[in-house]
Amino acid sequence: LLFEIVNVEVVSGDLLQNGAVTSTTGDINLVANAGNITMNSGKNTTSTSGNVIYTAFNSVNLSTITTSGNVSVTATNGSISDNLTSEDSNIIANVLTLSAKTGIGASGIADIDTTVSSITISNTTSGDIYIQETDTLLITSITQGGSGVVNVIVDSGNLVQNGAISSTSGNIILTASSGNITMNSGKNTTSTNGNIVYSATNDVNVSVLSTSGNVTVTADSNNDNVGKIIDNLTGESANIIANLATLSASTGIGTSSDEIDTDVTTISLINDISGDIFVTEANALTISGITSSGSSADTVIISDAGSITTTGAITSVSDVLIKAVGINSDIILGVALSSAGNISLNAGRKITQN
């Protein structure tokens, strides 16, 4: 089909695309009111600058949609799946909106492959969300209504989060394979009890990560000695709310003027090249381990209210300060501390060595 505007509506049954659908500059709108839309592998829908909209009562099976305009794909009662044999992009566009009920993509080669500027995703009931983006990506929002995984990978370029990412109870995994992850200030990632994992080859700028599960943040995931974890939240609210927080970087975790604020039960910290470790915890804290190998790099762990207990080794090549501020707060050392610099322990009530 070659028209300026393409509008195809199937009232009953499925819509099967077995050839190219093309518009020079106009919009393309395909609708299956009572069935599925299936693009056979290798079949293309293209518009130079028009918007492309695919809407199915059930599922949408994608081959390739290309436009410099926007793309919207809706599977009202079903899933959005990759029906393209290769790992080429399913969708090439400016703004992409994906809405489904039972999943968007699947793990491995079945993920939805994109080359887009920004993405908005909603999956309401069951199934996972798997997205693999070729270059820099802006996330405006992701909502996962069930217990499925949210997994977004950016192959090359930065991943910027400018809206909420939420899952009812599933894991949330964001990866920048060759760039930074930046959560703009005030933007939240939340799961009731799923784990949250943010990993970048360079820096991770954290706003708010919240779950009753565990949080893992890794900067310098490719071990090229460049990558730090930064507090990107205006104000002193907690950056990380979780059971266990595991933070790994090469060039710093927080700073003396803008520490990483936490509300967690247990924390594990590794920083191995340069830069300081500055963490302030809202309540009682268990330290399962700290390794600070950076040259001239201080380690400062402060609990504003509650005791600090160490259960794993704390090693540093520079100064270490562990401070439990509350008047009834203790420091309980379960293992020895080791530092080439000074070690300072400051408790509101008492310090004990088990």
Side-chain angles (χ1 to χ4, degrees), residues 76-286:
T76 305
N77 294 291
S79 63
I80 299 172
S81 61
D82 179 357
N83 206 39
L84 186 62
T85 303
S86 69
E87 274 292 274
D88 295 329
S89 291
N90 299 106
I91 300 172
I92 303 167
N94 180 29
V95 176
L96 173 60
T97 302
L98 301 177
S99 302
K101 186 175 183 179
T102 59
I104 299 173
S107 62
I109 63 172
D111 55 11
I112 301 299
D113 298 290
T114 66
T115 302
V116 301
S117 298
S118 69
I119 197 164
T120 299
I121 300 172
S122 175
N123 185 57
T124 58
T125 303
S126 63
D128 300 319
I129 296 172
Y130 278 90
I131 304 293
Q132 185 168 4
E133 165 65 27
T134 58
D135 53 23
T136 298
L137 180 65
L138 176 70
I139 296 175
T140 54
S141 73
I142 298 177
T143 303
Q144 169 66 288
S147 60
V149 170
V150 174
N151 190 315
V152 179
I153 298 172
V154 174
D155 289 335
S156 179
N158 299 326
L159 192 163
V160 179
Q161 181 179 338
N162 196 40
I165 298 176
S166 65
S167 174
T168 301
S169 58
N171 297 335
I172 299 173
I173 305 164
L174 266 62
T175 305
S177 298
S178 184
N180 304 308
I181 295 177
T182 298
M183 303 176 70
N184 287 342
S185 180
K187 307 309 176 184
N188 304 314
T189 295
T190 59
S191 177
T192 305
N193 53 17
N195 297 324
I196 298 174
V197 179
Y198 276 44
S199 177
T201 56
N202 294 332
D203 298 339
V204 180
N205 301 274
V206 179
S207 176
V208 180
L209 305 173
S210 179
T211 179
S212 62
N214 302 327
V215 168
T216 301
V217 179
T218 303
D220 187 28
S221 62
N222 62 340
N223 298 313
D224 69 352
N225 301 334
V226 178
K228 55 187 176 294
I229 299 173
I230 302 164
D231 180 356
N232 208 38
L233 180 65
T234 302
E236 287 298 296
S237 298
N239 299 107
I240 299 173
I241 303 165
N243 176 38
L244 166 65
T246 302
L247 309 182
S248 303
S250 287
T251 55
I253 299 173
T255 66
S256 59
S257 60
D258 210 356
E259 70 280 354
I260 300 298
D261 298 291
T262 65
D263 186 355
V264 303
T265 303
T266 304
I267 199 162
S268 174
L269 304 167
I270 298 175
N271 186 59
D272 55 15
I273 299 298
S274 64
D276 301 316
I277 296 176
F278 278 86
V279 173
T280 297
E281 164 63 30
N283 299 295
L285 179 65
T286 296

